Amino acid sequence: MEKKDIDWGNLGFGYVKTDYRYVSNFKGGAWDEGGLITDDTVTISECACVLQYAQTVFEGMKAYTTEDGRIVTFRPDLNAERMENSAKRLEMPAFPRDRFVEAVVETVKANAAYVPPYGSGATLYVRPFMFGSNAVIGVKPAEEYQFRVFTTPVGPYFKGGVKPLTIRVSDFDRAAPCGTGHIKAGLNYAMSLHAIVDAHKNGFDENMYLDPKTRTKVEETGGANFLFVTKDGKVVTPKSDSILPSITRRSLIYVAKEYLGLEAEEREIYFDEVKDFAECGLCGTAAVISPVGKIVDHGKEICFPSGMTEMGPITKKLYDTLTGIQMGRIEAPKGWLQVIE
């Protein structure tokens, strides 16, 4: 299979149209058999539920070329589970988990020529999503839905190397108490846009959101979970009912315990504790771990001992180990890598 003529080393983190995408429609109470198509456009009513009431959920994942030349995706079964939970919360019909994985595999396989070669620093981003497609004017769930999967080759999240981020404590709430913060719905990201634009205008890379009930506990940013390392080398991540259950975060906790022999736990983290941590990072699909050098709380700075120039030592070990598993340099736990035959 010949790769596309793409300058892999200079890819940005943006959309590049590929040849095929997967589409399945829900109508009359059932999903059709679905399949690959070449048309990248979507035609829906101006009154479609997704346009009127934001009834849409999505996932984000990647396909990689491993060191031995295989194409793999990372833990797609967990993405399938998370999308099912997201759909249920928005009164949408769940797309079956086994069919979700099959659709991802089928779409990646059809676009194999766009999977960047090993060592290029680039990957194939995979975006499954679902939305209410029929006309709805009253506030109620749609009756018809469309599930799609598209792919796009993307470059490394950090162009020119990893630089620790500066984050501010936000005055905005990312999610409402007992709301939808725990699901991957488009509406959650829409409501974070003003806050991130405002943060950038003021010289910050991201926002730290505190819990919406008491504003005393660390939650997450607009698109990533937090990960902290204590001064005695323990890995800690926030636990909350209103943050997204990150697949990357869960994988890093496992890596910390089983591969690196570190203590690791998920628990409530009070903001007052943050000044006492040695390292801080943001974890997610796009960059695996983005190191944080400084958090600013209304003018008060918290600078982590790992400094503003590079990843902390334990964060770096976590990053190297997980990316090593994803790229096939380190043996993966059973079931973590879905090979695209």
Side-chain angles (χ1 to χ4, degrees):
M1 183 271 303
E2 188 176 345
K3 294 291 185 183
K4 295 289 183 179
D5 184 18
I6 294 174
D7 185 359
W8 305 108
N10 287 310
L11 273 174
F13 201 84
Y15 177 73
V16 175
K17 179 184 172 182
T18 55
D19 294 338
Y20 298 96
R21 61 273 310 132
Y22 180 94
V23 179
S24 179
N25 291 290
F26 182 90
K27 190 174 183 178
W31 290 101
D32 65 18
E33 64 180 15
L36 295 172
I37 64 170
T38 57
D39 186 2
D40 65 323
T41 61
V42 178
T43 301
I44 52 177
S45 166
E46 63 186 352
C47 196
C49 193
V50 61
L51 301 179
Q52 303 307 317
Y53 303 119
Q55 197 184 23
T56 180
V57 296
F58 70 98
E59 280 297 320
M61 51 204 299
K62 288 181 176 180
Y64 315 83
T65 301
T66 61
E67 193 170 25
D68 61 4
R70 296 174 299 160
I71 295 175
V72 303
T73 59
F74 184 69
R75 309 191 77 178
D77 56 315
L78 296 187
N79 292 95
E81 177 186 12
R82 189 167 64 183
M83 177 171 264
E84 180 182 274
N85 292 334
S86 296
K88 287 178 179 177
R89 180 61 177 81
L90 293 192
E91 289 297 327
M92 305 170 77
F95 194 73
R97 295 186 195 182
D98 57 341
R99 288 192 58 191
F100 177 102
V101 175
E102 289 169 6
V104 167
V105 169
E106 197 174 338
T107 309
V108 173
K109 186 176 181 179
N111 293 299
Y114 289 93
V115 180
Y118 175 80
S120 65
T123 55
L124 187 73
Y125 192 85
V126 184
R127 170 55 58 85
F129 65 110
M130 180 170 41
F131 57 89
S133 55
N134 68 291
V136 174
I137 196 65
V139 181
K140 62 180 180 179
E143 295 176 352
E144 298 175 9
Y145 297 85
Q146 189 168 103
F147 170 83
R148 298 175 73 100
V149 182
F150 70 80
T151 61
T152 181
V154 295
Y157 198 71
F158 296 113
K159 279 290 190 183
V162 176
K163 297 180 178 64
L165 308 174
T166 298
I167 290 179
R168 72 170 182 186
V169 177
S170 181
D171 289 326
F172 298 100
D173 289 328
R174 176 189 158 271
C178 306
T180 58
H182 62 294
I183 66 170
K184 203 165 177 69
L187 55 91
N188 291 337
Y189 294 79
M191 62 191 291
S192 74
L193 293 177
H194 174 69
I196 190 61
V197 169
D198 186 66
H200 290 167
K201 283 181 180 177
N202 286 280
F204 300 98
D205 296 299
E206 253 292 5
N207 291 289
M208 170 184 277
Y209 294 105
L210 302 179
D211 75 284
K213 285 186 178 180
T214 70
R215 298 190 60 79
T216 61
K217 291 173 278 193
V218 175
E219 292 260 295
E220 60 172 283
T221 68
N225 283 187
F226 277 101
L227 180 147
F228 298 99
V229 180
T230 65
K231 290 177 181 176
D232 60 357
K234 186 176 184 178
V235 177
V236 185
T237 62
K239 182 177 183 179
S240 167
D241 291 334
S242 56
I243 64 176
L244 190 71
S246 165
I247 294 164
T248 303
R249 185 199 71 216
R250 283 181 275 175
S251 301
L252 286 167
I253 289 291
Y254 183 91
V255 163
K257 292 178 179 178
E258 304 300 329
Y259 280 73
L260 301 178
L262 300 171
E263 283 190 69
E265 70 172 339
E266 181 185 5
R267 64 169 175 81
E268 291 185 338
I269 296 175
Y270 285 87
F271 181 70
D272 287 347
E273 298 178 65
V274 171
K275 66 183 184 303
D276 298 319
F277 291 129
E279 300 175 38
C280 175
L282 306 182
C283 55
T285 298
V288 181
I289 306 179
S290 311
V292 174
K294 183 192 297 184
I295 294 174
V296 180
D297 177 21
H298 300 86
K300 299 176 184 177
E301 295 186 351
I302 298 172
C303 296
F304 295 97
S306 55
M308 287 294 293
T309 58
E310 59 186 6
M311 277 190 180
I314 290 180
T315 303
K316 184 71 163 58
K317 286 180 182 178
L318 288 167
Y319 175 87
D320 288 345
T321 305
L322 187 57
T323 55
I325 289 170
Q326 291 171 335
M327 294 296 177
R329 296 188 298 268
I330 298 172
E331 185 175 355
K334 185 177 179 181
W336 277 29
L337 297 184
Q338 172 77 52
V339 179
I340 311 298
E341 300 293 351

